[in-house]
Amino acid sequence: MAAEGIPEVVAAASIPAAAPVAAPVAATEELSLDSQVAEKVVSQVKHYFTDANLNHDSFMRKGITMHDGWIPFSTLIRFNKLRQLIGVPEDPKIIDMRRPNKRLPRPPPIAKKFVNWLAAAVKAGVTEADAVEVNDSSVRRKEPFVESDEWFSRTVHVKGLPYGQEYVDASEELTEFFAQHGEVALLRMRRNPKTKAFKGNLLVEFGTVEQAEAVAQMTDLEFEGHKLAPVMLSAYHDEKMAADEYIHPELYKPGQTYPTFEEWCVAHGREVPLPRGAKPKVAETKKSKVKLLTPKEIVAVPNVLVKFTGAEGIAIDDLKKALGAAGNVKYVDIQDGAMEGIVRFKEPVAEQAIESYAEGMPVEDSAVVLRLEAVNAEDESAFYERAKAASEAAIARKNAQALNGNGKRSGGQSESSSKRTRSN
């Protein structure tokens, strides 16, 4: 099975070039500042440092954690959008066909005149009122970045544009189009991770949930003659989950964990695709002898589950220690930051625990008191579904390692493969 069609969140430095854009300034020794181009460049640079972009741009997120948050102009000038606007020539691609997997040499430095042009434009365009500040060589945010999950509930997934068709100034035109219906915090064009071709799908984050929901309900959206099909990202995500389809990274719901594409392929009996140009690490004759593990059946056991509330801010180890007073804890199932979760005891002591701690279960070295209650049928069913998914993901990970020769695997399969502590 080929990996084409599996998109990913693309960092700012790796966004593929769209249709050719004419260089806005001449590549002379001294580049003159064009006011319209300078305005677009400054706007784009400021965008890289916004909360909306940093929530998804791992390259920039890592960058602002180093050098006191300063990002050099010599780094920004390599971002494809800025290269297109300023007219920076593309780096020559050096490929040794005899050794396609050999690490390529560092790209040649970009001419100083382009870096100077960018620095001059940004220094002239950034004001005290902006959220970024500039020195002679770099830019940084004024305020620390705090990652947020709120974007998920404000995002609309949009289908309907032609696959592979690139548009000049696509992001700007599409942002302007959707801005007619609300504040657009971020627009992302979904791309094929291998070919970088535009998939014809968009992720549009709005300023409020109400704006996003209003757009998702529209049935008459058209862009350049193409009828668009908007739907809330949460609904699109849940539909793919229900169909047991692979969930692409840019569709991940905050707080949930997902199998990698390789793990998903193994779990669904499909061949794991190799990276382009890579050779199999294990000969087929050896692969045929690999014995794949199969997940153990998760069986519901009576009187072992207890629901607890009031756990917000309590470390998982402290939770396990407190709950251990009622019996041997097998694992604790709770989302990060959540106030409630479910504990699975090794022995059938659930009813006894609830009765013994009817007035509450104190957590050592804190003022927190956990409240214990019986698990209803719906919560019990959801619990065992999560346990099953965790077991399958763990086995798929081990099988993928065995097939690709990435690690050793012990012969036995223990039930601990399905154990979870805190879900991320």
Side-chain angles (χ1 to χ4, degrees):
M1 172 181 172
E4 277 81 347
I6 307 304
E8 60 184 10
V9 177
V10 183
S14 61
I15 297 175
V21 178
V25 292
T28 59
E29 284 302 315
E30 294 296 332
L31 300 178
S32 59
L33 289 173
D34 179 288
S35 59
Q36 291 184 338
V37 173
E39 184 178 345
K40 289 184 178 180
V41 166
V42 173
S43 177
Q44 186 66 28
V45 169
K46 289 191 288 189
H47 164 74
Y48 291 141
F49 291 87
T50 61
D51 289 348
N53 182 67
L54 290 172
N55 275 324
H56 307 284
D57 193 333
S58 58
F59 181 87
M60 283 294 294
R61 273 204 312 276
K62 181 179 180 181
I64 63 175
T65 63
M66 301 184 291
H67 310 300
D68 203 21
W70 291 102
I71 305 293
F73 291 115
S74 57
T75 296
L76 293 171
I77 195 66
R78 294 191 179 278
F79 290 13
N80 281 325
K81 183 63 177 180
L82 294 180
R83 295 177 72 120
Q84 294 168 29
L85 287 170
I86 300 173
V88 179
E90 289 293 324
D91 291 333
K93 294 183 178 179
I94 306 172
I95 301 176
D96 187 342
M97 298 305 295
R98 296 167 299 175
R99 293 179 292 177
N101 296 325
K102 181 177 176 59
R103 186 186 297 272
L104 298 180
R106 289 180 178 272
I110 292 177
K112 192 70 175 177
K113 58 188 175 185
F114 294 110
V115 180
N116 292 341
W117 191 100
L118 175 61
V122 175
K123 289 169 68 176
V126 169
T127 68
E128 286 294 325
D130 288 319
V132 296
E133 56 185 344
V134 186
N135 63 22
D136 289 339
S137 62
S138 310
V139 190
R140 72 174 178 182
R141 281 173 61 104
K142 292 179 179 177
E143 299 294 333
F145 169 65
V146 179
E147 194 168 357
S148 171
D149 295 340
E150 295 180 0
W151 64 269
F152 191 84
S153 61
R154 302 195 306 259
T155 300
V156 178
H157 186 275
V158 181
K159 292 183 177 181
L161 294 174
Y163 187 102
Q165 179 173 328
E166 299 292 349
Y167 299 84
V168 176
D169 296 327
S171 295
E172 291 84 350
E173 292 187 9
L174 286 164
T175 298
E176 183 178 346
F177 171 78
F178 284 102
Q180 302 174 81
H181 309 290
E183 175 194 354
V184 177
L186 183 68
L187 182 142
R188 291 180 285 159
M189 302 174 67
R190 297 185 62 194
R191 294 184 177 275
N192 184 304
K194 291 182 68 176
T195 67
K196 304 304 179 186
F198 175 44
K199 291 176 59 61
N201 300 340
L202 307 169
L203 291 170
V204 187
E205 179 185 343
F206 286 92
T208 67
V209 175
E210 292 74 20
Q211 292 172 348
E213 291 176 340
V215 171
Q217 295 172 8
M218 292 182 177
T219 58
D220 57 352
L221 276 180
E222 283 194 12
F223 180 79
E224 295 189 357
H226 302 289
K227 186 173 177 61
L228 305 181
V231 63
M232 290 298 290
L233 175 58
S234 56
Y236 183 74
H237 167 277
D238 292 347
E239 179 183 343
K240 293 182 73 67
M241 287 287 288
D244 198 22
E245 297 182 19
Y246 172 68
I247 305 298
H248 313 309
E250 75 270 34
L251 305 180
Y252 286 176
K253 187 174 184 178
Q256 291 193 11
T257 56
Y258 300 84
T260 65
F261 182 57
E262 290 76 13
E263 293 168 355
W264 184 87
C265 286
V266 172
H268 290 75
R270 302 188 182 185
E271 182 180 354
V272 179
L274 295 172
R276 180 177 295 180
K279 294 181 179 180
K281 295 183 179 181
V282 182
E284 285 300 320
T285 54
K286 185 177 180 180
K287 277 189 176 183
S288 63
K289 298 179 180 179
V290 173
K291 184 178 180 180
L292 298 181
L293 302 176
T294 57
K296 280 190 174 183
E297 182 181 0
I298 303 296
V299 180
V301 179
N303 199 28
V304 295
L305 301 182
V306 172
K307 182 176 181 179
F308 58 87
T309 59
E312 185 176 15
I314 303 301
I316 187 66
D317 288 340
D318 293 335
L319 271 177
K320 293 173 70 175
K321 183 177 180 181
L323 293 165
N328 293 323
V329 175
K330 189 165 187 178
Y331 51 81
V332 176
D333 183 28
I334 184 173
Q335 297 285 338
D336 280 337
M339 295 186 62
E340 62 181 40
I342 294 177
V343 57
R344 202 288 199 189
F345 291 105
K346 294 182 179 180
E347 295 86 18
V349 297
E351 294 179 359
Q352 179 182 338
I354 295 171
E355 181 179 351
S356 299
Y357 293 92
E359 299 302 320
M361 172 180 283
V363 178
E364 187 175 339
D365 297 328
S366 78
V368 172
V369 176
L370 302 178
R371 301 296 175 182
L372 307 186
E373 59 185 81
V375 175
N376 60 37
E378 182 179 351
D379 287 342
E380 181 180 24
S381 176
F383 173 86
Y384 283 112
E385 284 297 320
R386 291 193 297 272
K388 178 182 178 183
S391 174
E392 291 176 349
I395 295 302
R397 189 178 302 112
K398 291 182 179 180
N399 285 340
Q401 292 174 347
L403 287 171
N404 292 328
N406 292 334
K408 295 182 180 180
R409 189 182 69 201
S410 59
Q413 174 188 349
S414 70
E415 194 176 352
S416 62
S417 63
S418 64
K419 291 184 181 180
R420 305 179 318 288
T421 52
R422 184 182 295 271
S423 302
N424 296 317

